[in-house]
Amino acid sequence: AAGAIPVAKSNVPQALMLPETVNDGVPGRTLHPTHHDRTCGGSSGGEAVMVATAMAALGFGTDIGGSIRIPAAFCGIFGFKPTPGRAPLGTDVTRFATQEAIPTAAGPLARSARDIDLAMRAICEPHAPWRAAVPAEALRWGYWTGGEDDDPFFEPCPTQARAVEEAAQALLRRGHRVRKLRRGPDVRQITHLFFALMSAEGGMRAFLAVMKGEMPLKEYAHMLLLARLPNWTRPCLAWWTRHVMGEERVADLMLHTGPKTVSQYFELLRQRRALVARWRAWMDAEQIDVVLAPVAPTPAFRHGESRHLMPSFGTTFWANLLQCPAGVAPWTTVQPDECTYTTRHTDRWARAAARTMDGAAGLPVGVQVLTRPFEDETCVAALRVLESVRAPPGTAAAADGQKST
């Protein structure tokens, strides 16, 4: 009815659970559009590559932990995860069809924020139609670079922190109301809660059942190991991992994953509801409409590194736990003098992040915006504003974000 013509079904990873796009089937591995030794992200990686390389004008994906936003950021395009329920999911045959604690959301990927807006107007469910957005000049912005915390869970690379700071300063130069937030979210708690909920069934049994006997990819090895550990072994193994191997973050995740009783699962749901309540109260107290934040600690990593870097996406898990809209806008690229990664941690995750930054010059890096649940129109308006302030003055894109939001 809206006039779009589907042209292709793009590649996704096995079981849709990876931040890279690879499977053992006919499509195989999808490469980054400009750096073929790097991943395009996932799970909507094939869609992101088709949009980034102009094979398609618009794409659609689903997002339960960043599967729209991660590939959009890695490939240098726009991506939007709506509030769950604002856009139709169609026939969902994955294990997440009945997983309501962190519901899946379907949303668009595009080369412009205007196309994101157009797509959402076309696909919104009738019970939640697209509304007029808050005027651009009325938006109140708060920003957080990811490095302000005294003990960050996963430090952002220099380019990611610079991207958020530059975007905030660009907004200020155009007269928008922007201020730096005193503190960001507790990414450590968010990451632990996300994995606790996602692993609560124990052993990832439903995940394996969906594959109907197909062997899991090696990229799932660490995730499956954590899920399958008997609960009685976890305290001892976590102690060894923390004090002998020196991997504090891995040890903490070991203690939070694994099968849960019904009462333990109810407690996790209570924690998620408390997180949502704190988020609403925090935005009210800070008097902001939009949060400008990092997407991920690093740009696109090399193929296969998702087994080490899956826990690094706490800043995308954030919006899924809150069930709020979140979008990604392209902003900059890694500069030659930014190909390093500094952290107090010495674990396998830190080493993987350092390997990612080695030779990363030229890779795209985006910024993320989040708003309150069901304020999707405000979130997309924020993407259009970011597109306009990044564009050279006098261009159509520079004018578009001001007149259309």
Side-chain angles (χ1 to χ4, degrees):
I5 302 172
V7 295
K9 181 178 180 180
S10 57
N11 197 19
V12 294
Q14 181 192 54
L16 307 178
M17 282 276 285
L18 290 174
E20 60 180 310
T21 300
V22 58
N23 55 69
D24 285 334
V26 174
R29 185 183 296 277
T30 302
L31 311 181
H32 190 277
T34 59
H35 294 65
H36 293 174
D37 64 327
R38 305 274 176 156
T39 181
C40 58
S43 61
S44 304
E47 206 78 346
V49 172
M50 289 193 68
V51 171
T53 56
M55 286 190 283
L58 187 69
F60 292 94
T62 56
D63 192 312
I64 196 170
S67 288
I68 290 172
R69 291 161 291 153
I70 294 166
F74 282 7
C75 294
I77 61 173
F78 290 85
F80 179 62
K81 181 204 81 68
T83 302
R86 287 300 302 271
L89 269 174
T91 303
D92 185 359
V93 296
T94 71
R95 69 176 289 240
F96 308 117
T98 56
Q99 206 283 94
E100 298 296 333
I102 312 174
T104 304
L109 300 94
R111 291 189 297 276
S112 74
R114 182 179 181 180
D115 287 345
I116 295 287
D117 193 335
L118 177 65
M120 288 305 300
R121 291 174 188 274
I123 69 171
C124 260
E125 291 280 27
H127 68 268
W130 201 247
R131 306 178 300 265
V134 175
E137 63 275 8
L139 292 177
R140 301 168 299 173
W141 297 71
Y143 76 99
W144 167 74
T145 67
E148 295 89 347
D149 299 342
D150 296 332
D151 182 22
F153 180 67
F154 224 115
E155 293 90 340
C157 70
T159 314
Q160 180 65 90
R162 173 174 62 82
V164 176
E165 187 68 44
E166 283 184 0
Q169 297 308 314
L171 289 165
L172 281 168
R173 286 193 297 271
R174 295 291 183 91
H176 293 277
R177 292 184 287 174
V178 185
R179 64 187 185 85
K180 193 166 189 175
L181 299 171
R182 295 185 298 272
R183 193 172 184 82
D186 186 342
V187 178
R188 179 179 281 98
Q189 182 203 18
I190 287 166
T191 304
H192 291 164
L193 182 56
F194 181 86
F195 279 101
L197 283 165
M198 295 300 288
S199 66
E201 65 175 351
M204 300 179 71
R205 290 188 297 271
F207 166 79
L208 294 171
V210 166
M211 292 194 287
K212 299 179 180 178
E214 184 179 327
M215 286 296 295
L217 296 172
K218 66 180 186 299
E219 284 80 2
Y220 286 120
H222 290 171
M223 191 188 310
L224 285 167
L225 177 62
L226 280 174
R228 287 170 167 174
L229 283 175
N231 279 351
W232 65 268
T233 67
R234 291 175 185 271
C236 181
L237 289 173
W239 184 94
W240 178 270
T241 303
R242 186 188 312 275
H243 297 290
V244 178
M245 299 179 65
E247 299 204 338
E248 171 193 340
R249 295 183 293 185
V250 179
D252 286 342
L253 197 60
M254 195 178 292
L255 292 172
H256 284 85
T257 52
K260 304 292 187 294
T261 65
V262 172
S263 61
Q264 289 171 332
Y265 187 71
F266 285 168
E267 170 58 22
L268 294 176
L269 294 178
R270 186 201 65 78
Q271 292 177 26
R272 195 201 70 79
R273 288 195 298 270
L275 182 71
V276 173
R278 288 197 301 274
W279 160 256
R280 292 176 183 272
W282 178 67
M283 289 197 72
D284 291 342
E286 296 286 354
Q287 297 184 329
I288 52 176
D289 304 303
V290 183
V291 175
L292 177 65
V295 184
T298 70
F301 45 80
R302 290 182 175 84
H303 302 300
E305 290 282 25
S306 63
R307 54 184 160 179
H308 300 299
L309 290 173
M310 176 79 82
S312 72
F313 295 103
T315 43
T316 58
F317 301 158
W318 185 20
N320 299 96
L321 281 172
L322 295 171
Q323 298 183 15
C324 72
V328 162
W331 191 264
T332 188
T333 57
V334 179
Q335 299 304 299
D337 62 350
E338 294 176 326
C339 295
T340 58
Y341 186 76
T342 303
T343 176
R344 72 170 182 85
H345 299 284
T346 58
D347 56 26
R348 69 193 72 179
W349 302 348
R351 294 191 293 273
R355 290 193 297 269
T356 296
M357 294 311 299
D358 182 24
L363 285 169
V365 172
V367 295
Q368 182 175 207
V369 291
L370 300 89
T371 57
R372 294 175 178 84
F374 291 99
E375 293 188 2
D376 301 63
E377 294 84 356
T378 300
C379 196
V380 173
L383 289 177
R384 297 189 73 166
V385 171
L386 284 173
E387 184 177 39
S388 73
V389 300
R390 181 174 177 261
T395 62
D400 179 69
Q402 302 301 325
K403 70 183 181 182
S404 60
T405 56

